[in-house]
């Protein structure tokens, strides 16, 4: 078993007047783990269902392993799917649930039993084969759903928020397990989630979606370090990137540069903001959220609020004046109107800020 | 303490008594009285009702009409039970799909259940009228001869069966429809990803999941096959030559036309015995195959 690549070309999907997908083009590389990430209603599940064939696109094409499968039924697409609700057949035993598809395809009993045994062993279900789904815990039901996908020997796995019904501890375990399973089987994984932690920890490639469009396709690291849009910056990371207007740095930027920057938004990760007396940003402490190892400090500057990640032992209290410093390399610049990352202004801003930084450091 | 415990005891009886009085007066006492009556002769005028042991049951064994209506009822049940279940299931599957005018179809199928059987029997009377009835008019278009549906001993019973199925199927459909709506659509999707055909999905998933409903519906259908006789009063009155008479209709005739109440009680006991046996058997036979959620 090995993966096959999936390609979406200019996919549109709408129901009557409501448009769910708006010109989606996407490459899912073979044998890799790709996460479809986005807020609810962004179209990620619709995209997955179009790949599965449960839904037909209004226009556009779906390719699997290079073949156009846009109008081919799900069963002929070389895919297996795990549903959010698991979709186990409540009246069938675990064993019957797993081999359901093999029976449909008329596999002989001997082969069926062999595959069942191997799959059950892989997932630790061997003891539970005679149970009904209602007698299983959520995590066990999840495994049965996985088993049904594995036993089918398909090269593409589609998963629609498979972990959202599990509790936090189990979810963390299953994350690792699913990732290990994908590695081991070498299948192409397309995994829908609204949880950025899941996407970032599991995926080789994250596809961030919003309002039926693809915002960014990148590895988790690139997505975090170089968000392509304001939306990506605000969606990835807990807490998300802090954004502020260039006005906040008005005393550090030349008037001409400030004028050029007026339709830009600056962004910075909370962990890149440090408490420093000579910092460029001067404000007062607002709310302090204690998280144990860290504390999130809200810093009020004019009308804007910045979040700064400080060590948990901080003793700052509300109302104390503070200065925040940052490394100019950690600054992100976006066009406010389009939300797109605009790197071309970066050198000029960097130059202005680093000279400021240098002078302020000298002064102190 | 003792006092309040005693009060609770009184409250319990006060709360239970209204329902209990009605149940005893109209269900339990008559039932017991029926069994007792079946061992007595019918009192007429100055002749008092006397204990006659199993005599009524002996009469019953020799009563040709009894055997005739029993056989009729057998065929009536054999046809109405499975057919009304099959039709109701088919209709439910159909109107559960996404289709135009679904609401209208559901209502149309349910209408026979809402209408009083006495009223619709009159409509069916017109359908069956020889010569200018609806059925004969349609048959006439294809050149078939007139047929006296209710007047011929060969077809009278089957005409009644058709009305009963028509009446019952819509009612059972509601139960199937309700059960179908509790089946999550993701099961259908999971099956289609595995390549299961519509029929395979029905056979392996839908039908087993509907088994509790099927059990409920089939017990109801059995009871109805003995109980639903209103249309016979309006349409054939059991004729011709008792060919469309059923057990309950015969009981009514014996009790309130011939006023042989003791013999009617005997017949009733037999009917109850049959119904109980069938219902219990059904329950034990089907229960093993039913998956309850």
């Amino acid at each position: 078993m090995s993966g096959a690549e999936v390609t979406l070309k200019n996919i549109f999907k709408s129901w009557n007047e409501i448009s769910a997908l708006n010109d989606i083009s996407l490459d899912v590389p073979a044998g890799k783990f790709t996460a479809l990430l986005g807020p609810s209603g962004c179209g990620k599940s619709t995209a997955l269902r179009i790949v599965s064939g449960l839904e037909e696109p209004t226009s556009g094409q779906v390719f699997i392993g290079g073949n156009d499968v846009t109008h081919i039924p799900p069963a002929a697409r070389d895919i297996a799917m795990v549903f959010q609700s698991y979709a186990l057949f409540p009246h069938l035993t675990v064993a019957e649930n797993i081999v359901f598809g093999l029976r449909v395809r008329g596999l002989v009993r001997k082969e069926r039993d062999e595959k069942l045994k191997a799959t059950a062993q892989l997932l630790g279900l061997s003891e539970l084969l005679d149970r009904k789904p209602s007698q299983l815990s959520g995590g066990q039901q999840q495994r049965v759903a996985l088993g049904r996908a594995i036993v089918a020997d398909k090269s593409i796995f589609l998963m629609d928020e498979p972990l959202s019904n599990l509790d936090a501890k189990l979810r963390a375990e299953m994350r690792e397990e699913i990732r290990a399973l994908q590695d081991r089987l070498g299948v192409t994984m397309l995994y829908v989630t609204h949880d950025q932690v899941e996407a970032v920890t599991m995926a080789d490639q994250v596809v961030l979606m919003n309002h039926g469009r693809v915002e960014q396709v990148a590895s988790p690291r690139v997505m975090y370090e170089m968000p392509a849009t304001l939306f990506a910056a605000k969606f990835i990371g807990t807490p998300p990137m802090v954004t502020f207007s260039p006005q906040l740095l008005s005393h550090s930027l030349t008037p001409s540069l400030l004028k050029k920057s007026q339709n830009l938004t600056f962004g910075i990760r909370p962990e890149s903001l440090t408490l420093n007396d000579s910092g460029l940003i001067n404000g007062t402490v607002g709310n302090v959220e204690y998280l144990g190892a860290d504390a999130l400090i809200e810093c009020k500057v004019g009308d804007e609020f910045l979040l700064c990640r400080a060590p948990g032992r901080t003793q700052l209290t509300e109302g104390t004046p503070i200065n925040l410093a940052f490394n100019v390399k950690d600054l992100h610049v976006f066009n406010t109107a389009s939300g797109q990352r605009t790197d071309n202004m970066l050198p000029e801003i960097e130059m202005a800020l680093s000279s400021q930084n240098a002078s302020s450091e000298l002064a102190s | 303490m003792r006092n309040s415990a005693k009060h609770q005891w009184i409250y319990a009886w006060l709360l239970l008594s209204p329902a209990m009085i009605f149940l005893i007066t109209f269900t339990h006492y008559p039932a017991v009285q029926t069994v007792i009556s079946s061992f007595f002769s019918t009192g007429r005028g100055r002749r008092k009702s006397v204990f006659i042991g199993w005599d009524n049951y002996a009469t019953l064994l020799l009563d040709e009409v009894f055997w005739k209506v029993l056989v009729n009822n057998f065929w009536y049940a054999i046809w109405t039970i499975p057919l009304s279940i099959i039709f109701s299931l088919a209709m439910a599957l159909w109107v559960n799909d996404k289709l135009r005018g679904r609401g209208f179809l559901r209502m149309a199928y349910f209408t026979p259940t809402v209408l009083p059987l006495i009223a619709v029997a009159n409509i069916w009377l017109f359908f069956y009228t020889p010569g200018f009835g609806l059925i004969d008019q349609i048959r006439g278009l294809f050149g078939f001869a007139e047929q006296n549906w209710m007047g011929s001993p060969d077809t009278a019973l089957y005409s009644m069966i058709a009305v009963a199925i028509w009446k019952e199927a819509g009612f059972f459909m509601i139960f199937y429809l309700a059960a179908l709506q509790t089946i999550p659509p993701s099961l259908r999707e999971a099956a289609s990803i595995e390549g299961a055909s519509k029929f395979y999905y029905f056979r392996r998933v839908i039908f087993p999941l509907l088994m509790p409903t099927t059990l409920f519906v089939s017990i109801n259908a059995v009871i109805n096959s003995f109980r639903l006789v209103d249309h016979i009063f309006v349409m054939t009155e059991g004729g011709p030559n008792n060919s469309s008479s059923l057990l309950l209709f015969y009981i009514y005739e014996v009790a309130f036309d011939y006023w042989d109440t003791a013999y009617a009680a005997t017949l009733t006991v037999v009917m109850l015995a049959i119904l109980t046996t069938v219902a219990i058997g059904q329950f034990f036979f089907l229960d093993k195959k039913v998956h309850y959620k």
Side-chain angles (χ1 to χ4, degrees):
Chain A
M1 195 174 3
S2 64
E5 77 267 15
V6 178
T7 308
L8 298 183
K9 244 190 200 156
N10 306 108
I11 297 282
F12 286 82
K13 176 73 185 178
S14 53
W15 284 278
N16 301 323
E17 296 301 295
I18 303 149
S19 155
L21 295 180
N22 217 328
D23 197 8
I24 298 278
S25 292
L26 186 62
D27 277 310
V28 180
K32 294 281 195 232
F33 196 122
T34 298
L36 280 175
L37 176 66
S40 54
C42 73
K44 57 192 190 298
S45 286
T46 308
L48 189 81
R49 290 168 63 83
I50 284 174
V51 173
S52 75
L54 291 172
E55 213 84 66
E56 274 212 28
T58 309
S59 69
Q61 288 169 293
V62 183
F63 296 88
I64 289 177
N67 303 315
D68 186 346
V69 296
T70 316
H71 303 293
I72 286 178
R77 289 192 178 197
D78 200 13
I79 52 146
M81 187 157 172
V82 175
F83 292 82
Q84 181 173 10
S85 59
Y86 313 142
L88 301 178
F89 303 115
H91 60 296
L92 298 179
T93 60
V94 168
E96 283 298 324
N97 262 291
I98 292 176
V99 300
F100 184 87
L102 303 184
R103 265 178 185 267
V104 171
R105 269 164 272 149
L107 226 66
V108 293
R109 199 193 164 100
K110 193 164 160 268
E111 268 183 83
R112 234 169 41 211
D113 287 347
E114 274 167 21
K115 287 188 180 223
L116 172 65
K117 209 176 144 199
T119 307
Q121 218 145 36
L122 183 69
L123 293 167
L125 287 171
S126 304
E127 309 296 312
L128 306 172
L129 289 179
D130 293 326
R131 300 242 190 122
K132 295 274 174 72
S134 56
Q135 299 166 303
L136 301 179
S137 70
Q140 290 167 334
Q141 292 186 16
Q142 169 72 73
R143 275 165 214 273
V144 179
L146 280 174
R148 199 165 58 185
I150 292 168
V151 87
D153 265 337
K154 300 293 173 93
S155 44
I156 296 160
F157 276 30
L158 307 176
M159 298 202 178
D160 189 0
E161 309 234 9
L163 304 183
S164 58
N165 292 340
L166 302 180
D167 61 60
K169 186 167 171 286
L170 202 53
R171 206 178 306 163
E173 280 173 32
M174 289 305 286
R175 271 208 309 258
E176 277 174 43
E177 208 165 308
I178 290 178
R179 177 69 234 219
L181 202 66
Q182 187 269 333
D183 263 340
R184 181 165 170 179
L185 300 174
V187 295
T188 305
M189 176 78 83
L190 192 54
Y191 185 103
V192 163
T193 178
H194 65 270
D195 182 353
Q196 45 131 345
V197 178
E198 257 173 50
V200 168
T201 53
M202 295 169 88
D204 299 311
Q205 170 183 285
V206 178
V207 177
L208 183 65
M209 291 181 66
N210 188 30
H211 292 309
R213 291 174 192 279
V214 173
E215 288 276 335
Q216 185 174 8
V217 181
S219 71
R221 188 175 286 270
V222 171
M223 182 91 54
Y224 189 80
E225 289 171 358
M226 298 272 286
T229 63
L230 260 176
F231 175 81
K234 290 290 228 178
F235 197 84
I236 306 280
T238 7
M241 185 180 281
V242 174
T243 55
F244 53 94
S245 70
Q247 284 301 324
L248 213 84
L249 302 172
S250 54
H251 53 275
S252 314
L253 300 174
T254 59
S256 69
L257 188 56
L258 204 57
K259 191 153 185 256
K260 268 204 261 177
S261 316
Q262 62 187 349
N263 30 6
L264 299 181
T265 299
F266 290 171
I268 192 147
R269 294 282 174 198
E271 63 269 28
S272 303
L273 283 172
T274 50
L275 296 167
N276 187 328
D277 290 340
S278 60
L280 291 175
I281 302 171
N282 320 111
T284 51
V285 174
N287 196 22
V288 177
E289 194 182 355
Y290 177 69
L291 296 175
D294 299 322
L296 290 173
I297 296 164
E298 194 182 51
C299 175
K300 189 167 183 289
V301 186
D303 302 335
E304 298 185 61
F305 290 93
L306 307 186
L307 267 184
C308 160
R309 195 188 284 274
R313 59 176 183 276
T314 181
Q315 296 295 328
L316 285 171
T317 51
E318 208 171 323
T320 323
I322 47 166
N323 297 326
L324 298 176
F326 60 88
N327 188 333
V328 284
K329 293 220 160 48
D330 294 329
L331 191 70
H332 304 260
V333 180
F334 302 95
N335 183 308
T336 310
S338 70
Q340 294 297 316
R341 185 183 191 87
T342 25
D343 280 342
N344 55 353
M345 286 287 289
L346 215 48
E348 219 173 320
I349 297 164
E350 264 181 38
M351 194 106 93
L353 289 180
S354 50
S355 64
Q356 267 289 324
N357 259 349
S359 61
S360 67
E361 254 160 47
L362 277 179
S364 68
Chain B
M1 271 311 282
R2 264 190 71 86
N3 211 9
S4 82
K6 194 174 175 186
H7 274 149
Q8 287 211 336
W9 185 79
I10 291 172
Y11 277 132
W13 277 108
L14 279 176
L15 290 169
L16 282 172
S17 54
M20 217 171 63
I21 289 169
F22 280 108
L23 268 175
I24 290 176
T25 323
F26 294 108
T27 306
H28 300 147
Y29 172 72
V32 174
Q33 194 55 48
T34 303
V35 177
I36 296 172
S37 299
S38 72
F39 293 105
F40 284 81
S41 67
T42 307
R44 291 183 201 277
R46 270 177 295 162
R47 245 188 318 142
K48 279 262 160 34
S49 167
V50 291
F51 182 79
I52 53 169
W54 294 93
D55 274 12
N56 277 327
Y57 291 88
T59 317
L60 181 132
L61 290 177
L62 296 173
D63 181 359
E64 272 177 43
V65 180
F66 166 72
W67 289 110
K68 172 119 190 178
V69 297
L70 203 60
V71 170
N72 281 349
N73 220 142
F74 174 76
W75 288 116
Y76 187 78
I78 286 285
W79 287 106
T80 55
I81 296 166
L83 281 180
S84 57
I85 291 175
I86 291 168
F87 278 128
S88 61
L89 182 53
M91 293 187 317
L93 287 171
W94 193 40
V95 299
N96 192 40
D97 268 344
K98 284 184 192 132
L99 55 100
R100 264 186 196 197
R102 179 167 73 164
F104 174 77
L105 271 177
R106 286 180 182 178
M107 190 195 71
Y109 284 153
F110 194 58
T111 311
T113 308
V114 184
L115 297 173
L117 187 49
I118 300 284
V120 296
N122 280 296
I123 302 173
W124 278 89
L125 217 49
F126 163 70
F127 289 172
Y128 284 141
T129 309
F132 61 90
L134 183 71
I135 295 171
D136 265 10
Q137 284 194 23
I138 293 170
R139 278 167 54 93
L141 293 177
F142 297 96
F144 289 104
E146 280 184 12
Q147 169 81 42
N148 190 352
W149 296 102
M150 290 173 311
S152 148
D154 296 333
T155 53
L157 182 62
Y158 293 95
S159 305
M160 298 301 104
I161 287 172
V163 178
I165 292 170
W166 174 84
K167 170 84 180 167
E168 279 192 304
F171 184 54
F172 296 153
M173 177 198 75
I174 293 296
F175 294 104
Y176 274 124
L177 198 54
L180 281 172
Q181 311 228 310
T182 66
I183 298 178
S186 60
L187 295 188
R188 158 88 265 200
E189 293 176 348
S192 79
I193 287 212
E194 301 287 1
S197 67
K198 248 187 155 150
F199 176 71
Y200 188 90
Y201 174 64
F202 173 77
R203 188 168 65 81
R204 288 278 327 268
V205 181
I206 295 275
F207 189 69
L209 287 179
L210 289 177
M211 274 312 266
T213 311
T214 304
L215 177 64
F216 172 79
V217 160
S218 66
I219 288 179
N220 269 282
V222 169
I223 294 168
N224 278 352
S225 70
F226 285 88
R227 201 183 60 109
L228 211 62
V229 294
D230 313 20
H231 56 311
I232 292 172
F233 284 89
V234 177
M235 297 176 74
T236 62
E237 296 191 13
N241 188 23
N242 285 322
S243 63
S244 64
S245 182
L246 300 176
L247 193 50
L248 187 60
F249 185 81
Y250 183 52
I251 292 172
Y252 179 87
E253 269 190 330
V254 171
F256 302 110
D257 285 350
Y258 314 148
W259 290 104
D260 191 350
T261 46
Y263 187 49
T266 315
L267 288 166
T268 308
V269 170
V270 170
M271 186 173 93
L272 285 179
I274 296 172
L275 272 180
T276 315
T277 317
V278 173
I280 290 175
Q282 217 171 1
F283 199 76
F284 280 105
F285 172 69
L286 283 176
D287 202 41
K288 288 194 188 79
K289 303 184 176 178
V290 175
H291 167 82
Y292 295 100
K293 268 175 209 157

